[in-house]
Amino acid sequence: IELSDRIISEAIVSSGKKLSDDVYVSLPDHLQFAVQRISQGMTIQNRLTIETMQTYPDEFQIGKKVIEYLGKKKHLTFPDDEATNIAMHLITAEEGDSLENTEGSIELINHFVKIIEQMLDKKLDTKSVSYYRLITHLKFFVQRIKKRQTNPEKGDDDLFNLIIHKYHQEYVIAQRIAGIVLSDFDYHVSDDEIMFLTIHIHRVKTSD
């Protein structure tokens, strides 16, 4: 319980968000069960470890610190998948969502990133500032899709027309993503949303 309280406090400082009260129950319960499992040689694989590392690096690093601490304290070896499991509890608490929806959001963001990489024919630099900004934008984008909210940022028509002509390839990619969202979620992506996504795609395209 004390360890969970420290983790939650660090997550609040790191994210700047108020966490759901549920995490004060779910996290210590998870940590206790994790110690029991590992001590008995039982591991639970998490297929989203790489995606979580890239999409929520701050939460994943908190999870890493926790398993390192527990490893020394209990003389056990925890795999990175356990850090992912801890990170997901924090992400879920930050977004006031369910664990299942958190997994779905990470998968959806990763799907968008793969589309961007494929259509740019470029492997994105996950350590770059542009990539971090893209992921941050996609996080809020996915939240708006699931909550059916519109982007509060408002662009103008002249700027939109300028950007889609200047960054045509990036605009086509943004349109592809918008088409997937409309097909899978019945959510119409606004021109403003497409414009901002186009800009972020351009930034990762031109970053070295």
Side-chain angles (χ1 to χ4, degrees), residues 4 17 22 27-28 31 38 51 54-57 61 76 83 87 93 121 129 134 154 156-157 168 190 198 207:
S4 293
K17 298 179 181 179
D22 292 344
L27 187 57
L31 293 179
I38 296 301
E51 289 83 353
Q54 296 176 348
T55 311
Y56 291 92
Q61 286 305 315
L76 297 169
D121 192 23
V129 174
L134 171 67
K154 178 65 179 171
D156 63 72
D157 292 338
H168 182 69
S190 68
T198 299
S207 67

Side-chain angles (χ1 to χ4, degrees), residues 80-98:
D80 282 349
D81 286 351
E82 291 296 340
T84 304
N85 296 333
I86 294 167
M88 285 199 169
H89 278 277
L90 298 177
I91 297 162
T92 299
E94 287 171 4
E95 299 183 357
D97 214 336
S98 69

Side-chain angles (χ1 to χ4, degrees), residues 56-89:
Y56 291 92
D58 293 340
E59 290 84 353
F60 182 80
Q61 286 305 315
I62 292 174
K64 282 280 286 184
K65 284 195 279 188
V66 173
I67 63 173
E68 288 170 5
Y69 172 83
L70 285 175
K72 292 177 182 176
K73 189 84 171 175
K74 302 293 184 179
H75 306 290
L76 297 169
T77 301
F78 290 81
D80 282 349
D81 286 351
E82 291 296 340
T84 304
N85 296 333
I86 294 167
M88 285 199 169
H89 278 277

Side-chain angles (χ1 to χ4, degrees), residues 155-165 192 195:
D156 63 72
D157 292 338
D158 289 339
L159 181 60
F160 175 78
N161 290 326
L162 174 67
I163 285 172
I164 66 174
H165 286 98
D192 289 342
M195 180 182 71

